[in-house]
Amino acid sequence: MKISELKTPCYVIDEGKLTENLKILHHVMQRTGAKILLAQKAFSAFCEYPLIGKYLSGTTASGLYEARLAQEEMGKENHVFCPAYLPEEMDELVKICDHIVFNSVSQFLVHKEKIKKAAAGISTGLRINPECSTQEGHEIYDPCGTGSRLGVTRAELDKAIQNGFDLSQIDGFHFHTLCEQNSDALETTLDAVEKKFGDLLYGRKWLNMGGGHHITKAGYDMEKLEDCIRRMQETYDLEIYLEPGEAVALNAGYLETTVLDIVENNGIKILVLDTSAACHMPDVLEMPYRPPLKDSGKAGEKAYTYRLSSCTCLAGDVIGDYSFDKAIKVGDRLTFCDMAIYSMVKNNTFNGMPLPDIAVMGADKECRVIRRFGYEDFKGRLS
Ligand SMILES: *Cc1c(COP(=O)(O)O)cnc(C)c1O
């Protein structure tokens, strides 16, 4: 089936593009010896886990459900980080994970007996907070801001050590401080990590440098990334992990939609689509950002400008203003790009909106629907 024949709304995963990204990441692994994991919170399309598992070392999870999904569908290295684990979650996690990362010394102490008793050896990690903000604008994505709960600061770790905490129980350190950034931000962060935690890195086995590395984006400075990895390998004799989410499936998906109506208000022409920013691409409103749309320009750039909006009752459910070479008609189809990441994992059925189907586009551009959603998926989460 061609992409234009799919019933809309529909997410389409572009396997050709996904494979290109995976090859880039695999190349970094080969050149540096670092291990790269898929951060499932960005992209959990498990139909692609066998493909992803061919190129990457495994997965990382934000909690039990993602860890289970990884174990069931990929079965490679299975890391987990969560700010706090429930006792019953830890009972499961010790059976399926090989690396468990704690957000605080107190969380480690709560769960350490279970880790010790686990049948398979589990490598323990502690998330550190280097208190080094390298991003502006996106404050909700900055774990280094004052008052952040994410990662122990050096001051808090020192307090715990003074109170008798034995750091030799911790195999690795983990930090995650970047969001859609280039390797210069990683370099700056590593300076802070070394300054604050350098003396403690010597006794560790591994360092996980988190996600937010825009490795597969055009213009990413790969040489600097490799220098950063080697610097930590050589100085501290550490195994290095990276766990990008976004970079794995960047630009590897679309959201196909149909124009249902065209209305006008004070000279503004508005397209009513069968998709929704609030329900199907919540990051557009949350981040916020303007998703790329195929064959379109900025407002006023091409001859015909429209505001793209949705079928929900939320006045602000607007994707943005876009322009086209031709006038748009009811029934026309539009294709949003870069819709694989933070889309399927974040969507919802607010307003009773149907969830988009999920299709896969092969390298030959042929599409097949792999999941169709209906009323039961809406009703099933309610009672
Ligand atoms: C979000 C997150 C990632 C992935 O981040 P991307 O920006 O998608 O690369 C990795 N690790 C942790 C701990 C995260 O919270």
Side-chain angles (χ1 to χ4, degrees):
M1 197 187 294
K2 295 273 161 277
I3 188 168
S4 58
E5 294 163 350
L6 295 166
K7 180 176 155 293
T8 66
C10 185
Y11 297 111
V12 185
I13 299 164
D14 184 339
E15 259 174 11
K17 182 64 191 164
L18 179 62
T19 307
E20 268 177 45
N21 290 345
L22 291 167
K23 284 185 173 157
I24 292 170
L25 296 171
H26 188 73
H27 191 67
V28 174
M29 292 172 46
Q30 277 183 318
R31 285 178 51 91
T32 62
K35 290 183 170 177
I36 301 186
L37 311 168
L38 164 70
Q40 295 174 92
K41 84 163 195 254
F43 183 71
S44 303
F46 55 87
C47 68
E48 302 295 357
Y49 282 15
L51 175 72
I52 295 169
K54 274 191 212 162
Y55 293 95
L56 304 188
S57 302
T59 48
T60 189
S62 321
L64 176 60
Y65 289 174
E66 286 182 0
R68 251 185 85 172
L69 187 67
Q71 203 245 348
E72 289 172 8
E73 303 293 337
M74 193 179 304
K76 296 190 73 176
E77 278 194 38
N78 197 354
H79 297 226
V80 64
F81 162 78
C82 184
Y85 302 98
L86 295 172
E88 58 270 30
E89 286 173 342
M90 191 51 63
D91 293 336
E92 291 294 309
L93 288 170
V94 295
K95 290 183 204 151
I96 60 177
C97 290
D98 39 74
H99 291 69
I100 300 185
V101 179
F102 296 91
N103 191 49
S104 65
V105 170
S106 48
Q107 264 286 300
F108 170 74
L109 294 174
V110 165
H111 298 291
K112 77 175 207 184
E113 284 312 312
K114 281 179 188 165
I115 303 262
K116 267 198 216 151
K117 281 192 210 134
I122 289 172
S123 197
T124 53
L126 185 65
R127 179 162 173 171
I128 56 172
N129 185 335
E131 297 176 82
C132 170
S133 293
T134 52
Q135 40 184 322
E136 288 145 41
H138 294 148
E139 259 149 51
I140 72 164
Y141 297 108
D142 183 8
C144 288
T146 309
S148 168
R149 72 186 176 291
L150 298 164
V152 280
T153 60
R154 181 63 201 249
E156 292 302 313
L157 184 54
D158 280 344
K159 270 193 223 164
I161 292 171
Q162 274 153 27
N163 289 330
F165 173 59
D166 174 10
L167 192 66
S168 73
Q169 303 170 95
I170 298 294
D171 297 315
F173 279 160
H174 174 289
F175 69 83
H176 169 72
T177 65
L178 307 182
C179 178
E180 302 189 330
Q181 281 165 287
N182 209 323
S183 40
D184 56 340
L186 175 61
E187 192 176 48
T188 305
T189 302
L190 287 179
D191 292 342
V193 167
E194 289 200 84
K195 194 157 161 257
K196 296 238 171 187
F197 294 93
D199 56 327
L200 305 180
L201 280 171
Y202 284 108
R204 312 278 76 79
K205 295 191 180 105
W206 51 266
L207 175 67
N208 185 326
M209 310 204 292
H213 315 278
H214 237 176
I215 301 172
T216 50
K217 191 180 170 183
Y220 184 87
D221 186 347
M222 204 71 83
E223 238 171 81
K224 192 175 290 245
L225 171 69
E226 293 180 5
D227 287 346
C228 283
I229 293 170
R230 289 198 189 97
R231 161 179 161 196
M232 300 314 275
Q233 287 170 328
E234 285 162 15
T235 315
Y236 304 99
D237 192 22
L238 293 164
E239 171 112 77
I240 300 299
Y241 285 100
L242 299 175
E243 46 179 33
E246 177 143 356
V248 174
L250 189 68
N251 292 317
Y254 315 97
L255 176 54
E256 275 287 290
T257 180
T258 301
V259 178
L260 299 182
D261 197 14
I262 304 174
V263 296
E264 205 166 320
N265 178 320
N266 286 291
I268 299 172
K269 290 190 169 65
I270 304 143
L271 305 183
V272 178
L273 307 175
D274 62 0
T275 189
S276 151
C279 299
H280 303 155
M281 38 185 141
D283 268 0
V284 167
L285 303 181
E286 205 174 282
M287 191 134 179
Y289 83 104
R290 175 190 162 90
L293 181 73
K294 207 164 156 256
D295 301 326
S296 77
K298 290 186 194 125
E301 195 176 304
K302 294 173 180 266
Y304 300 89
T305 293
Y306 299 87
R307 178 157 298 169
L308 272 54
S309 77
S310 88
C311 257
T312 70
C313 69
L314 176 69
D317 196 351
V318 169
I319 300 147
D321 292 354
Y322 294 79
S323 65
F324 303 86
D325 289 326
K326 285 188 284 188
I328 299 290
K329 307 178 300 301
V330 170
D332 282 356
R333 296 178 58 127
L334 301 175
T335 306
F336 289 101
C337 304
D338 199 16
M339 278 293 153
I341 47 173
Y342 295 105
S343 55
M344 290 168 270
V345 290
K346 286 191 98 171
N347 63 14
N348 63 78
T349 56
F350 178 52
N351 271 233
M353 279 288 284
L355 292 173
D357 292 340
I358 299 176
V360 168
M361 179 195 275
D364 57 1
K365 307 281 177 207
E366 270 299 300
C367 295
R368 58 180 202 283
V369 177
I370 53 162
R371 184 84 157 87
R372 181 150 276 163
F373 297 95
Y375 171 68
E376 291 308 322
D377 297 291
F378 163 67
K379 188 176 178 187
R381 313 172 43 226
L382 301 168
S383 70

